[in-house]
Amino acid sequence: MAQTYPPIHYAEYLKVDDLLSLQKPKSEEYGKSAHDEMLFIVIHQVYELWFRQILFEIDSAIELFSGDRVDERDMLKASSLFQRIIEIQKILIDQVDVLETMTPMDFLEFRDFLYPASGFQSTQFRLIENKLGLVQRLTYNNQDYKTSLPQNKQHEVSATEESPSLFQLLEKWLERTPFLASEAFDFWKAYREKVEDRIATSRQHVMESELNEEVKTVHLKNLEQMDRSFHSIFNKSEYEKLQQEGYWRLSHGALCAALFIHLYRDEPILQLPFQLMTQLATIDENFTQWRHRHAIMVHRMLGAKIGTGGSSGHKYLKATSDKHKVFQDFFNMATFFIPKSDLPELPKEISDKLRFRY
Ligand code: HEM
């Protein structure tokens, strides 16, 4: 007989009473009840709960990608974790609409009670950033972001700066991609030859065309620019220079693999890896969208006032939406995509493997 468990009530299981005892508007405490403070508290708490779930999924993903090799059977699991994060992010972005039913004047009714509290002090938000792999941060007041966190959380957040982030684990995973270089096929060499050939042919076509000189010059300039861009990834020392300048973050090996996976994504074995990278780019984009929405909402609420946490308010937040990115390389990489019809043909030995033909 199947094991039986003690019955449990909905309210007990979900600790509903505890949950509903956690909304304590300051305006009521001070005898100056402000209607919208309840919404303000609930919405922040809901965000923190979703942050908790996102962290839970990121931790599982980090576990899957830790170690010397990733079990191929875990690829689908990783993809569904990422998809779940994406779906939650959509809610996080949409939720700003609910908050915006509060007008700036409604907010003023209780804002003075909140100093110096700020979302800037959200420990879970920083954990998400660090575990995903954010490293370059804007600062304000020249202070380390961690000094704003509760004392007893600073250590936990520091630890995530040191432990491998999802970005780093993904980079290692990409570096281990097979099929890139063998006796039968050297992807990087074949791709480089194709690209150089394409640029040379296009140049020739422009020169021999009947276009007027002005248009020709524009086309040739574009081709020269393209040539320079490709040169910056074909030449390792140039690539390293761009890495130092912060344009690229992935190692050269990981970038080659990422490009290979994108270019040959129709090959059955590469479909899930392609999907994973696409999902990570979407997660990055969704956080940028949230930052942007939050910044616009803050502008609308505060105008040019500084934040309760002391920043320049919406200006600081807009700048973070431009700068605080993790998987930016997956976006920059698109410069180097070439049409499918131009891809170097895979030798049968490799394509058989990529197509599970045994
Ligand atoms: C009326 C609503 C809100 C206003 C006026 C507001 C204002 C601000 C301001 C001005 C900052 C910059 C730091 C500072 O000077 O305080 C900030 C940061 C932040 N806020 Fe909000 N916020 C609001 C709602 C929310 C909500 C609902 C969340 C959800 C958790 C949130 C999360 C954050 C986070 C995570 C940061 C840090 C962003 C970063 O440093 O990249 N905020 N907020």
Side-chain angles (χ1 to χ4, degrees), residues 40 43-44 47-48 51 95 99 102 107 110-111 116-122 125-126 129 137-138 140 290-291 294 297-298 301-302 305-314 316-317 320 324:
F40 189 79
I43 211 151
H44 277 85
Y47 268 108
E48 287 292 338
F51 290 166
Q95 239 171 227
L99 188 54
M102 174 177 84
F107 185 39
F110 61 93
R111 186 173 185 242
S118 161
F120 195 81
Q121 298 160 338
S122 167
F125 191 75
R126 298 306 174 206
E129 289 181 331
R137 268 201 178 78
L138 297 168
Y140 67 79
W290 182 82
R291 288 181 199 278
H294 174 258
M297 181 271 293
V298 169
M301 289 291 173
L302 303 181
K305 291 177 190 139
I306 59 164
T308 43
S311 79
S312 60
H314 76 94
Y316 159 76
L317 294 167
T320 65
H324 289 190

Side-chain angles (χ1 to χ4, degrees), residues 185-243:
F185 182 62
D186 181 337
F187 162 66
W188 202 235
K189 187 165 168 279
Y191 167 68
R192 182 178 182 156
E193 281 168 7
K194 264 284 173 194
V195 167
E196 287 173 349
D197 189 45
R198 251 189 116 224
I199 296 177
T201 315
S202 305
R203 202 174 267 137
Q204 180 102 15
H205 283 160
V206 175
M207 305 283 274
E208 289 168 3
S209 72
E210 289 175 6
L211 296 167
N212 69 40
E213 284 312 306
E214 209 177 317
V215 180
K216 265 189 191 175
T217 313
V218 172
H219 278 298
L220 290 174
K221 256 194 173 164
N222 279 343
L223 285 169
E224 203 183 304
Q225 167 64 33
M226 200 194 272
D227 200 13
R228 267 204 304 273
S229 294
F230 274 101
H231 190 70
S232 72
I233 58 165
F234 290 146
N235 180 309
K236 248 188 170 174
S237 63
E238 276 204 35
Y239 184 83
E240 280 161 13
K241 203 168 137 235
L242 287 174
Q243 261 185 324

Side-chain angles (χ1 to χ4, degrees), residues 30 32 35 40-41 60 63-64 67 93 126 129-130 138 184 193 205 228 252 255 263 277 283 286 290:
Y30 297 138
K32 294 182 176 176
H35 178 89
F40 189 79
I41 294 174
S60 297
E63 207 178 307
L64 293 183
I93 297 164
R126 298 306 174 206
E129 289 181 331
N130 290 352
L138 297 168
E193 281 168 7
H205 283 160
R228 267 204 304 273
H252 193 256
L255 179 83
L263 295 173
M277 280 193 279
I283 289 176
N286 284 347
W290 182 82

